[in-house]
Amino acid sequence: LRRGPSTMTPINIAWIVSIAALLIPLSIHRIQEGHVGVYYIGGALLEGYTEAGFNMMWPLITRVHEMQITIQTDEVTAIPCGTRGGVMISFDKVEVVNILKKDHVVQTVKQYGTDYDKLWIFDKIHHEINQFCSQHSLQEVYIEKFDTVDDRIKEALQADCSRFDTGIEIIAVRVTKPRIPEVVRRNYEEMEAQRTQLMIAVERQKVIEKEAETERRKARIEAEKVAEVSAIKKQQEIMEQEAARNVSVIKDHMLLARERAESDAATYRRDSEAQSNQKLLTKEYLELMRITAMANLSKVYYGDSIPKMFTPLA
């Protein structure tokens, strides 16, 4: 069989190479770190996403969008609102720190588009700020409850994002101080200056009272110290007097005991002598004593009338 002439002429090959050289760069694209790529063909969102790096797609018919999956900060600016009293104020900026979870990217983009944060953050911020202002007075919005705005908006945003399963996590909300009418602002500044002066005066009074209290406490401590020293000395004197009295009592007891012992000894001696004398008073002893007494007389009696004392005992 004879083969016909080839249709791949140099011109056709050149066309193919030119088209490939044109389409290949269009099909290769790069996804930045911290992002994933989602793809549309003919306006329909494809399932799945690509990671960071170089990726391929069908050129001309495929459209790619990079979706950030790292922490980002959305800034909502120039938010007007009216307070409960009808005063118009404006918040210059509200910052919302948030992150889109990777496993919710396709679902969130399919339901809310690539500008999902406009619906769930930007528009929601306007709504929540106006709700807050309309429910409170200027005094509450500007001063008394301003410190609660951040948490209130954060909780409201997160509640809606979680209820509709958007995959958005609200990390933090920062609200700047609102701008108020100039006349009202000056009044607040004057009030703040007066409040500051009052606080200074109150603090000065507290310092004076504290110093006076310190002096009173020092005087009381000093008086208590003097009283304690006096009480200690008085107690010492009482103890010394008690000790002296105890010594005197002991001496008295000793003297009494000694005198009693001496009295008992004298009594015993007399009793002993009496008992001895009682034993000596016999007839013979008395006769002996009579004769001895007569022998000691210096006079001699003669005659019939001699005193009976000189006659023998019967």
Side-chain angles (χ1 to χ4, degrees), residues 195-210:
R195 186 180 295 109
T196 302
Q197 293 177 357
L198 178 60
M199 291 175 60
I200 293 174
V202 170
E203 291 299 323
R204 185 180 295 112
Q205 183 178 357
K206 288 182 179 179
V207 170
I208 295 173
E209 292 176 354
K210 193 68 175 178

Side-chain angles (χ1 to χ4, degrees), residues 28 65 86 136 145 174 189 191 200 237 259 277-278:
I28 297 176
H65 283 278
H136 298 89
K145 295 189 176 182
R174 296 186 292 268
E189 289 179 351
M191 290 173 56
I200 293 174
E237 292 176 358
E259 292 178 350
N277 292 335
Q278 185 68 28

Side-chain angles (χ1 to χ4, degrees), residues 58-70:
W58 291 103
L60 302 181
I61 61 172
T62 304
R63 186 162 47 90
V64 61
H65 283 278
E66 293 188 43
M67 304 300 298
Q68 185 174 351
I69 56 173
T70 56

Side-chain angles (χ1 to χ4, degrees), residues 233-264:
K233 290 182 178 180
K234 187 67 176 179
Q235 185 66 25
Q236 185 177 2
E237 292 176 358
I238 294 174
M239 292 176 64
E240 290 176 354
Q241 294 175 2
E242 186 69 23
R245 185 167 57 252
N246 291 337
V247 171
S248 178
V249 170
I250 293 172
K251 289 181 178 180
D252 292 343
H253 288 171
M254 292 174 62
L255 179 60
L256 180 61
R258 184 169 60 251
E259 292 178 350
R260 183 177 297 162
E262 292 177 354
S263 175
D264 291 344

Side-chain angles (χ1 to χ4, degrees), residues 32-173:
Q32 298 291 335
E33 186 65 44
H35 297 70
V36 295
V38 295
Y39 301 87
Y40 288 89
I41 294 182
L45 179 65
L46 300 180
E47 296 293 335
Y49 54 83
T50 57
E51 300 285 351
F54 287 102
N55 294 276
M56 298 287 293
M57 68 178 182
W58 291 103
L60 302 181
I61 61 172
T62 304
R63 186 162 47 90
V64 61
H65 283 278
E66 293 188 43
M67 304 300 298
Q68 185 174 351
I69 56 173
T70 56
I71 295 176
Q72 58 181 324
T73 301
D74 293 323
E75 294 185 357
V76 187
T77 59
I79 308 170
C81 68
T83 65
R84 187 174 59 194
V87 180
M88 291 300 299
I89 61 176
S90 176
F91 289 83
D92 289 335
K93 182 172 64 174
V94 176
E95 296 179 342
V96 182
V97 182
N98 63 94
I99 186 172
L100 176 62
K101 299 177 182 178
K102 184 189 293 187
D103 55 355
H104 281 68
V105 169
V106 176
Q107 174 186 340
T108 300
V109 172
K110 182 178 291 187
Q111 293 180 347
Y112 310 112
T114 55
D115 294 331
Y116 65 90
D117 51 357
K118 181 180 185 302
L119 173 64
W120 292 110
I121 295 180
F122 287 83
D123 294 346
K124 186 68 175 174
I125 287 294
H126 280 269
H127 173 73
E128 291 299 329
I129 288 292
N130 279 272
Q131 285 288 319
F132 178 75
C133 290
S134 63
Q135 295 173 2
H136 298 89
S137 64
L138 178 61
Q139 175 73 13
E140 293 173 333
V141 173
Y142 191 67
I143 295 178
E144 295 178 0
K145 295 189 176 182
F146 178 74
D147 58 342
T148 67
V149 178
D150 295 352
D151 293 335
R152 171 177 175 150
I153 294 179
K154 177 179 181 296
E155 293 173 359
L157 292 178
Q158 189 61 70
D160 285 346
C161 290
S162 299
R163 182 166 65 251
F164 290 94
D165 194 25
T166 62
I168 303 172
E169 179 182 354
I170 306 300
I171 299 173
V173 174

